[in-house]
């Protein structure tokens, strides 16, 4: 039973596009396999706009053919209450080691869509303008924290070609010697 769960975690851990950190309830330290005291609980942390969001997954170790129950933070959209909105839960198969990874990716994408929708509905005109400018770039992430005071986060990836700097510094070194 534990091997099947461990395979799911290992597959999800190997995903490069989104950095998922795995742990167990009550600890922020990552673990390789489910914790011996709470083997049915897996905490997955993901950084979103420099804010760490944690999801708790509860597995039935007696029958891993069922998808896990999921406990999500308050930042989570209320409209994700219908299981059919996460197709991977309706087609869950423990024999497919990618099903847990697919669930994590789907949750991440739904969370991203929800946060983008919150950002789009902000009343502040300056923030609306910035959002309108950036919303079409799929790499940009938005996050709205509403309590205690509204905060608006935007993560814009910047690509830097370090080869340009290396070639300039190389020619500068040549000129100095």
């Amino acid at each position: 039973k534990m091997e099947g769960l461990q395979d799911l975690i290992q597959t999800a851990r190997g995903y490069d596009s989104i950095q998922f950190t795995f742990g167990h309830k009550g600890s922020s330290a990552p673990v390789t396999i489910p914790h011996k005291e709470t083997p049915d609980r897996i905490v997955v942390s993901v950084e979103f706009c420099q804010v760490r969001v944690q999801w708790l997954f509860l597995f039935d170790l007696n029958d891993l053919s069922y998808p896990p129950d999921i406990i999500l933070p308050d930042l989570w959209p209320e409209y994700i209450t219908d299981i059919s909105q996460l197709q991977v839960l309706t087609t869950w198969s423990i024999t497919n080691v990618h099903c847990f990874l697919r669930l994590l990716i789907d949750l991440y994408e739904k969370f991203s869509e929800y946060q983008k929708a919150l950002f789009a509905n902000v009343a502040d005109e300056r923030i609306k303008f910035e959002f309108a400018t950036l919303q079409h770039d799929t790499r940009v992430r938005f996050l709205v924290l509403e309590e205690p005071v509204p905060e608006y986060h935007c993560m814009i990836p910047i690509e830097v070609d370090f080869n340009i700097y290396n070639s300039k510094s190389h020619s500068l070194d040549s000129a100095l010697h």
Side-chain angles (χ1 to χ4, degrees):
K1 294 176 187 175
M2 296 294 281
E3 294 82 20
L5 191 54
Q6 185 175 346
D7 291 344
L8 296 178
I9 293 169
Q10 289 303 109
T11 301
R13 221 179 235 171
Y15 189 66
D16 291 333
S17 295
I18 304 169
Q19 184 61 45
F20 298 110
T21 304
F22 297 85
H24 61 84
K25 186 74 174 153
S27 171
S28 59
V31 292
T32 304
I33 58 173
H35 192 264
K36 64 182 178 184
E37 294 174 15
T38 55
D40 61 335
R41 298 165 189 257
I42 303 294
V43 175
V44 178
S45 297
V46 62
E47 191 170 292
F48 197 89
C49 292
Q50 296 185 333
V51 173
R52 186 146 303 277
V53 178
Q54 289 190 336
W55 303 325
L56 174 60
F57 297 88
L58 305 170
F59 288 88
D60 179 357
L61 294 180
N62 294 319
D63 191 354
L64 290 175
S65 65
Y66 291 108
D69 290 331
I70 307 166
I71 299 175
L72 303 167
D74 292 339
L75 297 173
W76 193 254
E78 295 81 19
Y79 66 84
I80 305 291
T81 55
D82 181 8
I83 196 170
S84 66
Q85 290 189 5
L86 295 171
Q87 171 124 19
V88 68
L89 292 178
T90 61
T91 60
W92 183 266
S93 172
I94 193 66
T95 59
N96 178 356
V97 294
H98 294 96
C99 63
F100 188 51
L101 173 59
R102 183 75 255 162
L103 175 58
L104 295 175
I105 293 168
D106 287 354
L107 285 172
Y108 185 88
E109 289 172 355
K110 292 285 186 192
F111 185 74
S112 182
E113 289 169 15
Y114 174 71
Q115 291 298 325
K116 190 173 182 179
L118 284 179
F119 218 93
N121 292 318
V122 170
D124 184 289
E125 290 302 318
R126 190 181 115 239
I127 293 175
K128 275 187 173 182
F129 173 77
E130 297 295 340
F131 176 76
T133 306
L134 298 169
Q135 71 176 334
H136 303 291
D137 188 336
T138 58
R139 301 168 303 151
V140 176
R141 297 288 175 243
F142 302 93
L143 179 66
V144 177
L145 299 174
E146 296 177 342
E147 295 180 12
V149 177
E151 291 181 30
Y152 306 98
H153 297 252
C154 181
M155 185 68 98
I156 305 168
I158 299 174
E159 296 177 21
V160 178
D161 184 359
F162 288 104
N163 291 325
I164 294 171
Y165 297 109
N166 288 338
S167 63
K168 287 182 181 178
S169 65
H170 178 66
S171 60
L172 180 61
D173 286 343
S174 299
L176 293 174
H177 294 283

